Amino acid sequence: MLIVQKFGGTSVGNPDRIKNVARRVLETQRAGNQVIVAVSAMAGVTDGLIKLAREVSAAPSEREMDVLLATGEQTTIALTAMAIQELGGKAASVTGAQAGIATDGVHARARITTIEPALVQRLLDEGNIVIVAGFQGISEDGLITTLGRGGTDLTAIAMAAAVKADLCQIYTDVDGVFTCDPRVVPTAYKLDEIAYDEMLEMASSGSKVMQSRSVEFAKKFGVVFEVRSSFNNNPGTTVKGETKNMESVVIRGVSIERNQAKIALDHVPDTPGSAAKIFQAMGDANVNLDMIVQTESSADTADIDFTLSAADLAKAESALRAVLDEMPGMQMKVYGGMAKVSAVGIGMRSHAGVASTMVRALADAGVNIDMISTSEIKIAVAIDDSDVEVAARAVHDAFCLEGSPDLS
């Protein structure tokens, strides 16, 4: 078999953990498999490099930040290869560029365009375990680019697709994908399997297990992968295309996302183009919006509310001030200290009453809902951050702990 394995920063966080990874990888190869390993920078290294950059420049360019941050993964690949060799194995490290990972020219958040793994395949054929630097690639102009936080997940999934791997394993510091964060909901349990769409919704709703772009890539190219712990041999969670029996579970999991904010725009002119100006300004400022609600406030004006990451709040306010100047009478209010709780499950498609069950559970827990948004397989609510743990436990209890609830 040809197996691609990914180890995150915690899994390679110090020399002893790198040696542990080397032993696991070597065991996989000695079981008769060819192995490609994608690794992240050691835990804390990327943050340290960012801090270092800010000590020499108030606003370092994204081009040079990519050059700097890519060194974190390059350190890990060399150390991992050395550790495998020390154990008597044969290993070779390659950077993202050497692995043939071509990207667009967008720095700090590049997208993979193609992968030409000729060198990787040759090294495999020579009996090597190939250690690939995650999180990075090379643009058509020959510049180092990075794929954004969590980009090593994407490296592993994309490499598995390119080499037509038989198995892709995402090793992390947790045992798999849980019904909720066990630190918030102690009764949360590990899922044996989850559909791509469910995993994507949970990743984009606050679950930190996987980068959402990597799940999108896996779905597009049909890469079945397993999320499992690098610290034990327990089975993990398989992420794959949905099957009929998956719909029998109404809710697969509950995600929470802290550090949210809301902007309320009152008395927006209710004319064609007004909303377009607002959202164009957000797009130009590279601010991602989540929940969006528009209501009529009078015969000729409307109110528009939307949520966003608190980290983008200052940037959003600055961009909207120019819009305020173009729309006299429009008012902007800003609210911080918010969070989001989402219930996710493809079973929603075939079960009625999911929203009422969730809302009732939150009401019984004394949690006030500020905003609600829905998709085909997700219901999300914006609430006060102080209520997020109570809310998560209430929703988890309503859907996960006693089996399928009575939705009548």
Side-chain angles (χ1 to χ4, degrees):
M1 291 178 66
L2 174 53
I3 299 176
V4 175
Q5 298 180 331
K6 174 261 177 178
F7 291 90
T10 304
S11 301
V12 292
N14 57 48
D16 285 339
R17 290 186 175 183
I18 290 175
K19 291 176 184 178
N20 177 59
V21 167
R23 284 190 290 270
R24 295 192 71 130
V25 170
L26 199 52
E27 287 173 4
T28 303
Q29 187 198 45
R30 288 174 175 169
N33 305 297
Q34 290 185 311
V35 186
I36 299 170
V37 183
V39 294
S40 300
M42 298 168 69
V45 167
T46 298
D47 289 338
L49 291 170
I50 292 171
K51 181 176 182 292
L52 192 62
R54 289 174 178 164
E55 288 178 359
V56 299
S57 172
S61 72
E62 290 185 333
R63 180 190 187 280
E64 300 308 326
M65 285 299 294
D66 276 358
V67 174
L68 176 65
L69 297 183
T71 64
E73 279 69 22
Q74 289 171 208
T75 299
T76 311
I77 59 172
L79 292 173
T80 305
M82 292 174 192
I84 292 170
Q85 292 162 1
E86 182 68 16
L87 293 171
K90 189 175 180 182
S93 64
V94 293
T95 66
Q98 291 170 331
I101 300 173
T103 72
D104 59 21
V106 179
H107 288 289
R109 51 191 176 279
R111 291 187 173 274
I112 295 174
T113 54
T114 60
I115 297 182
E116 298 293 340
L119 175 60
V120 171
Q121 191 62 61
R122 176 164 61 81
L123 291 170
L124 282 173
D125 293 341
E126 293 172 356
N128 289 285
I129 296 170
V130 183
I131 317 298
V132 179
F135 175 68
Q136 61 183 254
I138 188 168
S139 72
E140 63 178 15
D141 296 327
L143 301 178
I144 294 173
T145 55
T146 62
L147 308 177
R149 283 285 185 161
T152 304
D153 291 338
L154 182 55
T155 299
I157 296 291
M159 187 59 66
V163 301
K164 297 180 172 56
D166 299 292
L167 180 63
C168 182
Q169 297 173 317
I170 306 296
Y171 284 92
T172 181
D173 56 352
V174 295
D175 284 349
V177 181
F178 283 72
T179 52
C180 193
D181 185 340
R183 293 168 297 184
V184 175
V185 181
T187 51
Y189 56 87
K190 180 176 65 68
L191 298 165
D192 293 328
E193 63 180 20
I194 187 171
Y196 291 128
D197 286 341
E198 292 172 324
M199 187 71 230
L200 185 57
E201 288 284 15
M202 291 184 71
S204 63
S205 300
S207 175
K208 306 302 181 186
V209 175
M210 286 287 293
Q211 185 209 47
S212 58
R213 282 171 55 198
S214 65
V215 182
E216 289 177 351
F217 200 102
K219 180 185 177 182
K220 181 178 180 180
F221 292 97
V223 178
V224 176
F225 62 94
E226 181 188 17
V227 180
R228 59 186 301 169
S229 173
S230 61
F231 303 120
N232 58 52
N233 293 312
N234 298 334
T237 301
T238 300
V239 185
K240 62 181 185 178
E242 63 186 74
T243 57
K244 287 185 178 179
N245 68 307
M246 284 182 170
E247 288 201 11
S248 63
V249 178
V250 181
I251 297 299
R252 189 72 58 181
V254 177
S255 292
I256 63 174
E257 190 165 12
R258 301 180 188 269
N259 300 317
Q260 297 294 290
K262 182 179 80 168
I263 293 180
L265 299 174
D266 298 337
H267 308 302
V268 179
D270 194 9
T271 57
S274 295
K277 289 181 180 179
I278 292 168
F279 297 124
Q280 182 66 51
M282 295 295 90
D284 292 344
N286 198 30
V287 174
N288 291 320
L289 305 182
D290 189 6
M291 302 180 186
I292 302 174
V293 176
Q294 177 172 326
T295 57
E296 184 178 310
S297 59
S298 68
D300 55 359
T301 65
D303 295 340
I304 299 177
D305 297 354
F306 51 82
T307 61
L308 67 163
S309 169
D312 289 333
L313 189 54
K315 190 163 51 172
E317 285 186 82
S318 177
L320 286 170
R321 288 192 187 99
V323 181
L324 287 169
D325 292 339
E326 296 180 33
M327 300 182 188
M330 186 174 77
Q331 299 174 356
M332 176 171 62
K333 299 175 184 176
V334 176
Y335 303 88
M338 299 187 69
K340 183 174 69 174
V341 174
S342 304
V344 177
I346 59 175
M348 288 187 195
R349 296 171 180 164
S350 53
H351 291 79
V354 177
S356 64
T357 299
M358 182 171 177
V359 172
R360 185 167 63 239
L362 291 171
D364 291 344
V367 176
N368 185 57
I369 298 173
D370 191 281
M371 296 174 68
I372 300 177
S373 71
T374 64
S375 72
E376 189 179 27
I377 65 169
K378 181 182 77 172
I379 300 174
V381 296
I383 60 176
D384 191 274
D385 183 74
S386 62
D387 291 329
V388 68
E389 295 193 6
V390 171
R393 287 192 287 268
V395 176
H396 191 272
D397 286 350
F399 289 110
C400 300
L401 298 184
E402 303 299 332
S404 298
D406 182 2
L407 299 177
S408 59

